Amino acid sequence: MSRALVSLGSNVDRHKNLPAAVRAMHQHPELTVRETSCIFESPAIGGDYPAFLNAVVVLETTLDPATLKATLRGIEAGLGRIRTEDKNAPRSIDLDVVLYDDLEDAELGIPDPDLSEYSYVAVPAAEVAGDWVVPGRNKTVAQIAEQSLPPTLRKVPMAEQDLDLTPDDAFEEYGPADETFNPRFEALVREQLEILGEDPDREGVRRTPFRVAKSMAFLTGGYTQSLKEVVNNAIFQSPDSEMVMLKDIEFYSMCEHHMLPFFGRAHVAYIPDGRVIGVSKLARIVDVFARRMQIQERLSNQVADALMECLDPLGVGVVMEAAHLCMLMRGVQKQNSEMITSALRGSFRSDARTRAEFMNLVGHELR
Ligand code: ZN
């Protein structure tokens, strides 16, 4: 999973287009909007044009930078953006990749030079990504923002902007009130709220069934993904036979007993036998199985078996450490307890030295 900082600007129908763009990004299956800045207003450059509203968002994405840029162009087009000769012409929406992990690629324009030029990029960016070190600049976003603040940028007060860019609110504001995502599921959530003693028509929960349906679809997205489509073309021939390991893969899953989250870190290793897999795919494979109703033991086993299946390696080791909300929030309420599971295959099981090397890398005593 990569992290990208994307800047937004609009000076045509701007109150509508800014949240619509956030929403379109969030709805895209390969993009998740993690954070949104406040909204700022900046005068247009190079002509007598209406002022812009600007903001930035932090995305999580599995798309590579070039595909991400192309995807954002698609979203711009969907919101009526027409690119013309005049690069200052009014526009419904402008979406630019400002930062992408620690990538420095002049051809792609990442980092976006505008970050250092214009406060309307730097200042909102500093709100949500102040600590991000800008590749090639040896400065954080916050330091760049401090140096670039001209007096023309105006933070639009919440009362005035009458909209919030968090994806849920963007839905709330501009999605049709009767918009549905999964009517059958939403009816169940509504009934559940009623049974719990809520008034499902109360303002704050009126759209909750819709939101629950959407978030549940994401959290259980593993049901509709296959190992094959996730692995796609990322298996390569390689003579290497050293242990390959990806540590601290963050994962979020839900226990099948209580439908409450459990989450933590996975450590995945294998010893290749002619084939290796792109390292980011290890994290994707964890997600395919984590985004279902699970028990942690089975999740570990499924990840291990999946790697055996697609790489046929000499061995696989998976260790998962997770906190379970069903234990933390209820029942025994053991705070700080983490559950650790492991799944070992092939040489990780049969060869004590391999197993010891793996556990040593994980940083755990073998249990
Ligand atoms: Zn549970």
Side-chain angles (χ1 to χ4, degrees):
M1 200 61 96
S2 289
R3 199 163 73 115
L5 188 71
V6 171
S7 66
L8 299 85
S10 169
N11 68 343
V12 173
D13 264 347
R14 51 188 209 167
H15 276 77
K16 178 173 151 290
N17 283 321
L18 217 54
V22 175
R23 181 180 169 199
M25 285 189 270
H26 200 61
Q27 279 180 328
H28 190 282
E30 303 290 331
L31 306 176
T32 303
V33 175
R34 283 292 172 212
E35 279 185 273
T36 56
S37 71
C38 289
I39 299 169
F40 292 80
E41 186 175 56
S42 64
I45 300 163
D48 187 15
Y49 298 130
F52 277 85
L53 287 186
N54 298 98
V56 305
V57 298
V58 176
L59 296 180
E60 260 179 25
T61 183
T62 48
L63 300 177
D64 62 70
T67 313
L68 174 61
K69 283 183 78 116
T71 302
L72 296 180
R73 292 287 161 274
I75 291 174
E76 287 179 347
L79 291 171
R81 170 78 188 270
I82 298 158
R83 290 188 170 259
T84 63
E85 293 289 294
D86 180 359
K87 76 182 204 35
N88 295 312
R91 73 275 317 264
S92 55
I93 194 74
D94 202 4
L95 300 173
D96 288 311
V97 180
V98 180
L99 294 172
Y100 183 100
D101 289 340
D102 54 2
L103 177 77
E104 194 179 1
D105 186 327
E107 214 164 292
L108 285 173
I110 299 173
D112 187 348
D114 285 359
L115 176 65
S116 306
E117 291 277 311
Y118 299 113
S119 61
Y120 64 75
V121 180
V123 172
E127 276 192 0
V128 291
D131 294 337
W132 199 325
V133 177
V134 180
R137 293 292 312 274
N138 219 2
K139 284 189 183 130
T140 63
V141 169
Q143 287 167 332
I144 287 174
E146 273 165 33
Q147 292 162 359
S148 73
L149 183 65
T152 48
L153 192 69
R154 187 177 73 97
K155 189 164 180 169
V156 182
M158 290 305 277
E160 196 177 328
Q161 69 194 34
D162 78 8
L163 58 91
D164 187 327
L165 284 186
T166 53
D168 272 349
D169 286 321
F171 279 118
E172 193 78 6
E173 208 67 35
Y174 291 102
D178 58 352
E179 185 177 15
T180 57
F181 179 76
N182 180 341
R184 197 167 147 223
F185 193 91
E186 285 161 50
L188 288 170
V189 176
R190 189 186 154 90
E191 193 178 345
Q192 191 179 17
L193 285 168
E194 249 170 343
I195 292 170
L196 292 173
E198 258 299 345
D199 168 10
D201 292 315
R202 183 166 68 78
E203 172 91 33
V205 295
R206 195 172 39 83
R207 299 265 288 162
T208 295
F210 173 76
R211 288 187 290 248
V212 172
K214 278 218 60 159
S215 71
M216 197 58 98
F218 175 79
L219 298 174
T220 60
Y223 287 119
T224 54
Q225 288 174 327
S226 69
L227 183 59
K228 202 172 154 216
E229 103 195 4
V230 165
V231 171
N232 204 359
N233 300 312
I235 293 174
F236 311 100
Q237 302 297 320
S238 165
D240 291 344
S241 58
E242 295 299 313
M243 188 182 295
V244 178
M245 174 156 180
L246 189 60
K247 263 189 88 162
D248 294 320
I249 305 167
E250 242 181 57
F251 73 90
Y252 295 86
S253 188
M254 293 174 85
C255 87
E256 66 184 17
H257 300 132
H258 306 93
M259 292 176 72
L260 286 171
F262 68 94
F263 54 95
R265 294 163 314 283
H267 317 292
V268 178
Y270 65 96
I271 297 179
D273 185 17
R275 281 165 299 278
V276 296
I277 187 167
V279 93
S280 68
K281 294 292 183 183
L282 295 176
R284 293 289 311 274
I285 290 172
V286 169
D287 271 343
V288 168
F289 296 104
R291 289 193 182 139
R292 304 172 187 212
M293 298 300 154
Q294 274 290 8
I295 58 173
Q296 191 179 322
E297 295 87 337
R298 185 174 63 223
L299 175 55
S300 306
N301 281 316
Q302 285 176 332
V303 172
D305 290 337
L307 278 170
M308 289 302 285
E309 184 188 325
C310 61
L311 289 179
D312 196 17
L314 296 175
V316 170
V318 175
V319 167
M320 301 187 109
E321 315 171 63
H324 290 243
L325 285 191
C326 61
M327 281 165 69
L328 299 177
M329 291 178 71
R330 55 170 284 287
V332 289
Q333 298 200 349
K334 285 209 166 80
Q335 295 307 319
N336 308 320
S337 64
E338 281 215 320
M339 188 157 134
I340 302 178
T341 51
S342 66
L344 305 174
R345 301 287 184 271
S347 58
F348 283 67
R349 178 180 283 277
S350 60
D351 182 341
R353 273 184 320 174
T354 300
R355 191 163 62 233
E357 183 191 348
F358 172 57
M359 289 302 177
N360 189 33
L361 287 170
V362 169
H364 276 289
E365 295 297 309
L366 183 59
R367 290 147 63 94

